[in-house]
Amino acid sequence: MKMMDAFRLDNQRAVVTGGGSGLGLGIAKVFIEAGAEVVIIGRNEEKLRQAQQQLGERCSIRAFDVTRLAEIPQLVKEIGTIDILVNCAGVHLKKWALDVTDEEFLNVLNVHVMSVFALSREFAKLMVEKGKGSIILISSMTAIMGMQQVVAYTTAKSAILGLQRSLVADLSHKGIRVNTIAPGWIDTPMLHKAIDTDPQRKANIMRRIPMKYFGQPEDIGYAALYLASPAGGYVNGVFLPVDAGASESF
């Protein structure tokens, strides 16, 4: 295999949750450029259709709320066998810990942990039949460093580490690799929701980024491409920060 061919995803089929915008859209874009067919999943059908127009004919869409856990097995059955799953759907909750309600906390866990497990479990059942597959989880540098006003998000993204370890232990001998990306501050709608009305928070964040600029969604896409492609075929159980060094300079 030629070197650059190792980063191709020709004849591969991927699912990216949260693919209508932000990190998910960036990952889907890179995968399609590498030759994959990609199904993007999200709650907002209009946003998905706009993303589909941008991504082209190798993109298909499914409007679905990943917190509808009981319906996930049927969704997976309808989508069918895939080679790559990227669990990228997310929500953000900016609140001091003392103000977070049980309902709010549980909602974040449902999106970032429960749905990730359910989707990974169901798609892995189909991957086992093929004898191979790649599952990519999305954590966060908040799993490494403490940050204010993100207690539910931090808890959920820390849980992803435990989930990865167990999935690696259970699935590797069946040919399924499981890796995790921990994005730093990436220029997405979720980031702007957190900082656009809070200039002090933005300034504090920028001080913690050694390279002094926000990443782009495609930066996460390229990392995901490496982990999903033949180039990363011997990479399994990795927690990969993509954060311009922020987690090392805390």
Side-chain angles (χ1 to χ4, degrees):
M1 181 182 293
K2 294 181 180 179
M3 182 179 67
M4 295 313 298
D5 289 344
F7 293 90
R8 296 292 301 173
L9 297 178
D10 299 299
N11 303 313
Q12 300 284 296
R13 191 163 183 249
V15 164
V16 180
T17 67
S21 64
L23 299 183
L25 179 58
I27 293 169
K29 179 181 178 182
V30 171
F31 279 11
I32 287 173
E33 289 176 350
E37 293 185 5
V38 179
V39 181
I40 57 173
I41 297 175
R43 289 181 294 183
N44 188 321
E45 185 169 356
E46 178 58 31
K47 186 181 293 185
L48 290 174
R49 293 197 182 280
Q50 292 174 3
Q52 185 181 34
Q53 290 178 354
Q54 178 181 342
L55 295 172
E57 61 182 14
R58 290 205 305 276
C59 171
S60 58
I61 66 173
R62 287 299 302 262
F64 184 80
D65 182 345
V66 295
T67 63
R68 296 183 344 225
L69 301 177
E71 299 174 35
I72 284 178
Q74 181 60 33
L75 172 73
V76 172
K77 182 179 179 180
E78 292 171 1
I79 291 174
T81 302
I82 64 171
D83 302 282
I84 305 158
L85 170 65
V86 183
N87 291 285
C88 198
V91 294
H92 190 70
L93 178 67
K94 180 185 172 185
K95 268 191 173 184
W96 294 102
L98 299 183
D99 297 325
V100 175
T101 68
D102 294 341
E103 182 179 7
E104 290 171 331
F105 196 92
L106 184 59
N107 179 60
V108 174
L109 291 183
N110 279 337
V111 173
H112 288 279
V113 181
M114 295 301 297
S115 74
V116 170
F117 170 65
L119 285 161
S120 298
R121 178 193 64 212
E122 296 303 313
F123 276 116
K125 291 176 182 178
L126 301 181
M127 290 176 178
V128 166
E129 296 176 3
K130 294 185 67 172
K132 63 177 183 177
S134 173
I135 296 174
I136 297 175
L137 313 179
I138 303 297
S139 181
S140 167
M141 60 186 174
T142 62
I144 305 172
M145 63 174 71
M147 294 178 60
Q148 295 179 335
Q149 300 184 59
V150 287
V151 63
Y153 185 80
T154 297
T155 301
K157 291 305 189 181
S158 299
I160 290 297
L161 289 174
L163 177 59
Q164 174 191 273
R165 292 187 183 108
S166 287
L167 291 179
V168 167
D170 284 354
L171 300 178
S172 295
H173 68 287
K174 298 182 181 295
I176 301 171
R177 297 182 297 111
V178 184
N179 293 291
T180 298
I181 297 172
W185 285 287
I186 309 297
D187 192 354
T188 64
M190 185 179 291
L191 174 66
H192 286 286
K193 183 178 180 181
I195 67 173
D196 282 355
T197 59
D198 191 342
Q200 185 58 53
R201 186 179 183 87
K202 181 177 180 179
N204 291 339
I205 287 172
M206 196 58 69
R207 279 197 294 270
R208 299 171 90 170
I209 304 175
M211 292 174 66
K212 300 305 177 189
Y213 64 90
F214 297 136
Q216 295 299 312
E218 288 80 5
D219 292 321
I220 307 304
Y222 297 134
L225 174 61
Y226 167 64
L227 294 174
S229 69
Y234 202 60
V235 179
N236 190 25
V238 162
F239 180 84
L240 177 61
V242 183
D243 63 4
S247 56
E248 294 297 319
S249 63
F250 175 64

